[in-house]
Amino acid sequence: MNSLFIDKAPEDTRVIVAMSGGVDSSVTAAMLKEEGYDVVGVTLQLYDHGEAVCRPNTCCAGRDIYDARRVADQIGIPHYVLDYEEVFKRDVMEYFAETYVHGETPIPCVKCNETVKFRDLLETAKDLGGDALVTGHYVQWEMTDQGAILLRGDDHRRDQSYFMFTMTQDQADYVRFPLGGMCKDETRELAKKFGLAVASKSDSQDICFVPEGKYVDVVEKLRPGSLEAGEIVHVDGTVVGKHDGIIKYTVGQRRGLGIAWPEPLYVIKLDAENKQVIVGPKEALMEYELTINGVNWIGFTELPDEGRELVVKVRSAQPPQPATVYPLEDGRARVTLKDGYAGIAPGQACVFYEGERMLGGGWIETAA
């Protein structure tokens, strides 16, 4: 049994490493190469920043592809660039735009994992003869008698298990996450040790296809006319202002409302049908119950009618909090939060945990 829990010698184990051009995936590839694995690097051409915002040649994803190829050459592994632009636009960017238009807040990284990476790239990895698809995510992976389980990254500040909740058991069995027990500082030290050209490359702070965080430009490009004007309405029914598009607002937002009011106002809800931004005091954000759809479980399939006590995250950066999850029909569930949460946003995810283990989750539909 090798370090990836595959019953082969490393030199007889082919691993397909998803290389984004960043530090994490580069270190992952270098570590496995040093251990003697048969490593193949794959980079996906997903988007062009300039094309996304209708300004060709302003900023291109080619820079990251170049960095991935440079690292592959440096550590001596084959490297392939695959054109996934069409599927990425269809399954991630279109979803991103449509979700905003409906007054919700999308998580494109989850949708990318669900479709492009752990559906399409995973099948490509198998076609390339890979024994595993390996990524640089900060998620811990363990094999049990019932199959693989996913746990929070050891460094909770970097944990990315929240973004994996749509994964199937078969996918979990096939992927590996060697960085799950490390922190970012350790990863960068390894990058320096290996002499990687990307050792000092900064982490991206934006959604990959949204240059400089200007997501409204992307939505407008994909959904022309989505910036429709409407009213800003207080929870008491008072019209307090005007807006030029609900896609510019998210639940919990305080800044940028442009409203003179005796107390601070927050976005409480987005009513896409009536083109209204509903605002109110901070206490109006607090919710104790929500419904979710598209519920997915990893290694667990049934909920008792009386519900199950777990801990959940309703935002990626939020610490898990106690909750009870109750089954509903059609792949839906009701979640009650013991301590409540201020700013539950439809379109985000509610992800289930039992201790450190991530059990799955669903898409937030409504808060009540």
Side-chain angles (χ1 to χ4, degrees):
M1 190 73 68
N2 58 41
S3 64
L4 295 178
F5 297 93
I6 298 171
D7 195 16
K8 291 183 178 181
E11 61 269 21
D12 298 323
T13 305
R14 171 166 289 186
V15 292
I16 311 302
V17 178
M19 298 182 68
S20 67
V23 177
D24 300 328
S25 59
S26 297
V27 167
T28 298
M31 284 171 53
L32 296 176
K33 174 65 175 177
E34 184 180 63
E35 290 181 41
Y37 287 94
D38 176 11
V39 181
V40 177
V42 173
T43 301
L44 305 182
Q45 169 67 47
L46 299 177
Y47 59 90
D48 183 299
H49 281 157
E51 178 63 23
V53 296
C54 207
R55 293 195 299 271
N57 303 317
T58 54
C59 180
C60 180
R63 187 178 308 141
D64 290 331
I65 292 174
Y66 171 77
D67 286 342
R69 176 166 286 157
R70 189 164 52 150
V71 168
D73 289 344
Q74 189 176 353
I75 64 178
I77 63 171
H79 178 254
Y80 301 96
V81 178
L82 305 181
D83 183 357
Y84 275 35
E85 283 198 44
E86 184 176 341
V87 67
F88 185 77
K89 182 171 188 276
R90 183 191 71 217
D91 291 341
V92 180
M93 295 177 68
E94 294 286 351
Y95 144 83
F96 177 82
E98 194 67 16
T99 303
Y100 265 117
V101 168
H102 281 87
E104 300 179 345
T105 306
I107 318 176
C109 293
V110 173
K111 191 59 69 172
C112 183
N113 287 338
E114 180 184 4
T115 58
V116 175
K117 291 178 182 171
F118 299 128
R119 182 192 66 194
D120 300 331
L121 178 57
L122 187 145
E123 289 304 314
T124 298
K126 291 180 178 179
D127 291 341
L128 291 172
D131 293 294
L133 171 65
V134 184
T135 79
H137 289 100
Y138 289 89
V139 179
Q140 297 196 81
W141 181 99
E142 291 183 10
M143 180 56 76
T144 72
D145 292 340
Q146 288 75 44
I149 62 173
L150 304 182
L151 303 99
R152 299 174 73 193
D154 192 53
D155 181 352
H156 288 175
R157 296 168 301 174
R158 287 281 174 178
D159 169 49
Q160 293 172 298
S161 60
Y162 179 89
F163 302 99
M164 306 292 173
F165 83 87
T166 60
M167 189 174 287
T168 67
Q169 186 63 58
D170 286 344
Q171 291 168 346
D173 290 344
Y174 186 69
V175 301
R176 300 292 189 275
F177 306 106
L179 301 188
M182 298 168 56
C183 67
K184 187 71 177 197
D185 288 344
E186 291 175 289
T187 302
R188 287 204 180 274
E189 284 303 313
L190 280 175
K192 294 175 184 176
K193 171 194 166 186
F194 292 128
L196 301 182
V198 297
S200 59
K201 186 175 181 177
S202 60
D203 294 336
S204 173
Q205 300 300 315
D206 298 319
I207 296 169
C208 66
F209 59 91
V210 182
E212 300 174 358
K214 297 179 180 179
Y215 71 89
V216 173
D217 292 347
V218 177
V219 176
E220 255 288 280
K221 171 66 167 55
L222 294 170
R223 295 291 184 277
S226 57
L227 282 172
E228 296 183 90
E231 297 175 331
I232 301 177
V233 183
H234 195 276
V235 289
D236 67 7
T238 305
V239 176
V240 297
K242 301 287 186 180
H243 68 79
D244 58 359
I246 64 169
I247 66 172
K248 292 185 174 182
Y249 300 85
T250 58
V251 172
Q253 178 180 335
R254 177 185 174 186
R255 299 184 183 278
L257 300 183
I259 300 169
W261 199 255
E263 60 185 359
L265 293 177
Y266 297 78
V267 175
I268 307 300
K269 180 182 177 182
L270 299 174
D271 184 346
E273 184 176 353
N274 294 306
K275 304 182 183 65
Q276 291 183 336
V277 175
I278 312 300
V279 298
K282 187 173 184 179
E283 55 266 27
L285 282 170
M286 184 62 72
E287 301 285 0
Y288 289 86
E289 184 172 302
L290 58 143
T291 58
I292 58 177
N293 58 43
V295 173
N296 178 65
W297 295 95
I298 303 175
F300 180 78
T301 56
E302 294 185 9
L303 280 174
D305 290 340
E306 64 271 21
R308 180 174 179 179
E309 293 184 0
L310 299 169
V311 292
V312 304
K313 294 177 69 171
V314 295
R315 292 273 184 163
S316 62
Q318 172 221 358
Q321 66 162 296
T324 305
V325 184
Y326 300 90
L328 297 174
E329 295 180 350
D330 302 321
R332 297 167 65 245
R334 177 169 62 91
V335 181
T336 60
L337 304 173
K338 181 180 178 181
D339 302 321
Y341 186 79
I344 294 174
Q348 292 283 293
C350 176
V351 180
F352 314 140
Y353 293 85
E354 189 169 56
E356 292 294 291
R357 180 181 175 184
M358 192 272 288
L359 292 174
W363 298 100
I364 296 174
E365 187 175 82
T366 60

